[in-house]
Amino acid sequence: GGGGGGGGGGGNSGDDDGGKGKGPAYSVQDCLKSFTEEEVLDGDNRYTCDKCKKRRKCIKRLTIHRWPQVLVVHIKRFNYTAYSRDKVNTLVRFPVKGLDLSPFVSHTEDRAEHGRPIYDLYGVSNHMGVLGGGHYTATCLNDPTSRWFNFNDSTVSDADVSETQSSVAYVLFYKQRSREPVP
């Protein structure tokens, strides 16, 4: 999820902007690309070889080895440094239908067993407020009726799918489109 990649850490920290997403916007695909970029491990970060036990320069790359039926994407909304703690309000855009993880999987041949790594959104948890306090709401899909709803404490109201896209989106819930094996 967004805990280690780009897109979640830059721009617009501080007070809540009401979900308008002023400033730069990124896509969840941008965040995944950043999270899975190759990284050279050198200097103090060198890898200790299992065979020769020597510290060696190497390249590290994170990929998705097995993709789940339910995918939870956490967008980094809180930034902690030695000197400050801020709420991050960067807008991260994400697809409602067809999030394709194919570019980020290590073995595409596993589609025969696990189906295609393509996901559809069914819920968003939102955080409004600042680091020290705030309020959580959710926008979720009722799958049988294909209708979206806002959940805010004891109140439930109709929602439009466009309401899922905001800078207060904190956790995204996706389900795999099909688990049927692909030849």
Side-chain angles (χ1 to χ4, degrees), residues 140-167:
C140 301
L141 175 68
N142 179 325
D143 207 23
T145 65
S146 297
R147 291 176 53 202
W148 287 85
F149 293 92
N150 282 323
F151 296 85
N152 186 349
D153 292 335
S154 62
T155 304
V156 178
S157 59
D158 285 319
D160 188 87
V161 68
S162 64
E163 294 177 50
T164 61
Q165 302 286 327
S166 76
S167 65

Side-chain angles (χ1 to χ4, degrees), residues 62-178:
L62 299 175
T63 59
I64 299 168
H65 186 67
R66 279 188 297 201
W67 48 95
Q69 287 182 288
V70 174
L71 176 69
V72 179
V73 178
H74 170 251
I75 299 172
K76 183 178 177 183
R77 289 289 179 215
F78 303 103
N79 190 33
Y80 302 95
T81 68
Y83 306 104
S84 68
R85 288 165 174 68
D86 297 313
K87 170 84 184 282
V88 179
N89 290 314
T90 303
L91 178 61
V92 178
R93 297 215 179 272
F94 46 89
V96 173
K97 298 253 184 223
L99 173 61
D100 187 358
L101 297 184
S102 296
F104 312 108
V105 301
S106 50
H107 303 291
T108 54
E109 64 274 11
D110 287 348
R111 293 184 306 182
E113 183 180 343
H114 302 294
R116 288 188 173 93
I118 297 175
Y119 293 83
D120 297 323
L121 186 75
Y122 70 91
V124 178
S125 175
N126 304 294
H127 179 270
M128 288 159 279
V130 294
L131 180 69
H135 183 69
Y136 291 91
T137 64
T139 306
C140 301
L141 175 68
N142 179 325
D143 207 23
T145 65
S146 297
R147 291 176 53 202
W148 287 85
F149 293 92
N150 282 323
F151 296 85
N152 186 349
D153 292 335
S154 62
T155 304
V156 178
S157 59
D158 285 319
D160 188 87
V161 68
S162 64
E163 294 177 50
T164 61
Q165 302 286 327
S166 76
S167 65
V168 298
Y170 184 42
V171 182
L172 312 176
F173 298 90
Y174 282 92
K175 62 180 176 180
Q176 188 175 11
R177 186 172 283 175
S178 171

Side-chain angles (χ1 to χ4, degrees), residues 49-65:
C49 177
D50 293 335
K51 293 181 182 177
C52 70
K53 304 300 181 200
K54 292 185 180 177
R55 291 179 47 84
R56 305 254 181 213
K57 177 180 176 180
C58 69
I59 295 174
K60 174 183 86 170
R61 179 168 186 250
L62 299 175
T63 59
I64 299 168
H65 186 67

